[in-house]
Amino acid sequence: MKKIVLIFGLISILFSASVNAQKKIEVLVGQANIAIQPTMWGVFFEDINFAADGGLYAELVINRSFKFPNPLEGWKVPFRDSVFVINEKIEGQNHRYIQLQPLSSGQTNFIQNVGFRGMGIQKGEEYRLKLRSKFVENNDLSLNIDLLDMDGESIGHSIIKTLNNNWEMNELILKATKTCEKANLKISMIGDGIVDIDYVSLFPVHTFKNRENGMRADLAQMLADLQPGFVRFPGGCIVEGHHLDLRYQWKKTVGDIDDRELIINRWNTEFMHRHTPDYYQSFGLGFYEYFVLAEDLNAEPLPILNCGMACQYNTGELVPLDEMDPYIQDAIDLIEFANAPVDNKWGKLRAEMGHPEPFNLKYLGIGNEQWGIQYLERYQLIAEKVHAKYPDVKLVSGSGPSSDGDRFEYLWKELKGKQADLVDEHYYRDPEWFFNGATRYDSYDRDGLKVFAGEFASHTRVNDEYPSSNNNWLSALSEAAFMTGLERNADVVYMASYAPLLAHKDAWQWRPDLIWFDNLNAVATPNYYVQKMYSTHRGTHMVPVLSEKEILAGDNGLYSSASIDKNSGHIYLKLVNSKPEAEQVTIQFKGRKIASDQVKVTELYSDQLMKYNTLEKEDVIVPVEKSMSLTKDKLTLELKPQSFILVDVSCK
């Protein structure tokens, strides 16, 4: 608790002051000349913390094709001597399956999948099972399929009555009779015979947009509720790999799901204090699915590709410059997979997967957190070839792993002469840095490269074991203050996203995270609500906000930014009071006539900086809306101590 006391003390020292006379704030609506990009606020997705398999990707069966290094990882096999793992070569391809044989004791042989820390099953919901099998001896054999609760009782049952002597996909629907957070799937042999099984999948019928092989509905809906301008995928550090053989290779994640090559997830072993030995990438959520998700969210896709470098914190393995052609071709082929007509090789594959229309890819990232001359050399090789063939695709380069320092300064200096459109900046820093960072972009070159604030989160590092405790109000408040600076500098900052996005409470490696979930439920953190208040009140143009002819960027603990949607006429004013005292303000809107005296005020607030939301009880930190009235285009507000306020005003 000592650190928490120090944090409270820091806030008081920085911002303690007697309550001033009413502060006057002017919102200069008539000077809204700087455009805000539609991509300003987006989401960053990386498969960390069970974010994909076991999270957003709705598959409930872990190790569904028995492809893990331990083929029976995730499967309970009580009669091991009667369950065999068989590897075959078919047309040069590895084919692994299991064989169940009858028990001489007369007992029933079965296997049981434990899911991703269990399976979340909801009463009354339907679940689609797909099981590929063939019988080997005798056809007097059927398979009982059961969903089991934590006591081993069946809460959903069906049967596969007829098995073929050739490989055949069996499909059936199970309807759950009970809700269970940690259910299992049991497959039992009934009758006499031998059966081979090479694929077992279980999805909720109701996925996001009701897509087969789709996304978990509640998690995807929380993303949709943010109205993101872009979706960055698949990472992050996961793009790099410990070494290049384990880098993310997009071509291995498209096409038939059966042909997608499983690899270990780098977060399996990256932090050994959070070792997750059953964490692999099935790539059921691959690049095609990411593109479809972005489309479903009405967001621009922003894929990130490896630049010929493994993670420099791991092996730092490099591709020689004269061997970069495959990496260059990967970038060109990805653009064609997304955009080319169906008579193109990659456009044809996209169409065969179910999407003949192009995805209209406009952005492509090359590399993640690489640094140094090695990165620049490889970035430039890829960028030159991509821009030569597809000059309209905007390229995102990295700026290293930190928000300042020699590596950061070197890359920014050198990239100004390279073929880059946006520079990706990352900052995982403490709340003080974020409170002080609202003016970070005030001095950036207005005519230079644009900024993608691709990964940011305020880290409080409190001594609390509850997973979402680092997503406390102090962290969210400091991000809200910082984001006023992003919006004020919309002519420099074109994209921004919090990171990481998702975390399973029983399988996380990193925190804080924007959304926490278990197998049944999800909780929005205070940080999520901050992001949502910005992203759903984006506006088309930045509006200057002044007090005594100065911007509000932390002096006396106040921060502000504003925007206007010139299509709807709505003005969105954001205000942060970071002080431990209330602040009285009078806000005047100038330059446009106000359409209505009624305004909507949304307040996000907690009386305790270390408070956070949990999965077990109702959120304690949530936006609260109220209506207020203007008097002669003026609004008088009391800003609560350490609060974030959104004012929505309609103008003519």
Side-chain angles (χ1 to χ4, degrees), residues 88-102:
E88 289 183 343
K89 283 276 189 181
I90 299 178
E91 296 180 355
Q93 299 294 317
N94 293 324
H95 181 217
R96 177 184 287 174
Y97 57 93
I98 64 167
Q99 184 174 94
L100 277 68
Q101 298 190 354

Side-chain angles (χ1 to χ4, degrees), residues 154-182:
S154 178
I155 58 172
H157 172 77
S158 191
I159 187 168
I160 299 173
K161 293 182 178 180
T162 304
L163 298 177
N164 202 313
N165 61 354
N166 294 311
W167 286 107
E168 180 180 53
M169 185 69 80
N170 305 277
E171 184 173 331
L172 54 81
I173 299 295
L174 297 163
K175 188 167 185 177
T177 59
K178 178 182 175 181
T179 294
C180 182
E181 181 189 348
K182 295 182 179 292

Side-chain angles (χ1 to χ4, degrees), residues 442-503:
D442 291 3
S443 60
Y444 271 50
D445 183 0
R446 308 341 261 181
D447 298 317
L449 297 173
K450 303 309 176 184
V451 170
F452 172 30
E455 298 182 33
F456 70 87
S458 177
H459 284 223
T460 54
R461 303 297 188 190
V462 297
N463 186 24
D464 188 326
E465 292 185 1
Y466 191 85
S468 66
S469 60
N470 279 32
N471 289 100
N472 49 56
W473 177 232
L474 174 59
S475 69
L477 183 68
S478 65
E479 291 158 5
F482 176 75
M483 291 169 71
T484 63
L486 301 184
E487 187 169 68
R488 276 193 304 100
N489 289 282
D491 52 342
V492 170
V493 181
Y494 275 22
M495 307 172 108
S497 51
Y498 184 100
L501 182 62
L502 294 163

Side-chain angles (χ1 to χ4, degrees), residues 119-167:
M119 300 177 179
I121 300 298
Q122 299 274 9
K123 180 180 179 180
E125 290 293 315
E126 294 182 329
Y127 297 85
R128 179 180 290 106
L129 177 96
K130 291 185 177 181
L131 184 151
R132 188 165 48 228
S133 64
K134 68 182 178 74
F135 74 81
V136 180
E137 292 183 7
N138 301 327
N139 61 357
D140 184 21
L141 180 67
S142 58
L143 296 176
N144 263 356
I145 310 296
D146 287 280
L147 295 173
L148 302 182
D149 67 12
M150 295 174 68
D151 295 322
E153 298 296 322
S154 178
I155 58 172
H157 172 77
S158 191
I159 187 168
I160 299 173
K161 293 182 178 180
T162 304
L163 298 177
N164 202 313
N165 61 354
N166 294 311
W167 286 107

Side-chain angles (χ1 to χ4, degrees), residues 7 54 180 206 255 258 281 291 294-295 344 405 452 456 479 555 568 572 595 609 612:
I7 291 173
C180 182
H206 173 52
D258 280 359
Q281 292 178 273
F291 277 114
E295 186 173 78
N344 170 278
F452 172 30
F456 70 87
E479 291 158 5
D555 286 347
S568 68
Y572 306 119
L609 288 174
Y612 53 88

Side-chain angles (χ1 to χ4, degrees), residues 12 45 50 67 77 249 298 349 449 475 538 628 652:
S12 297
F45 184 91
F50 270 28
K67 292 180 179 179
V77 185
Q249 300 183 61
N298 196 30
L349 175 60
L449 297 173
S475 69
R538 179 181 292 112
M628 296 187 70
K652 294 180 180 178

Side-chain angles (χ1 to χ4, degrees), residues 9 13 110 129 180 223 268-269 314 336 355 368 372 381 388 406 427 447 471 476 522 553 593 624 650:
I13 290 168
F110 69 91
L129 177 96
C180 182
L223 304 188
N268 182 312
T269 58
N314 298 137
E336 294 180 355
H355 202 287
N368 177 46
L381 282 175
D406 292 344
Y427 13 83
D447 298 317
N471 289 100
K593 290 185 178 181
V624 177
S650 181

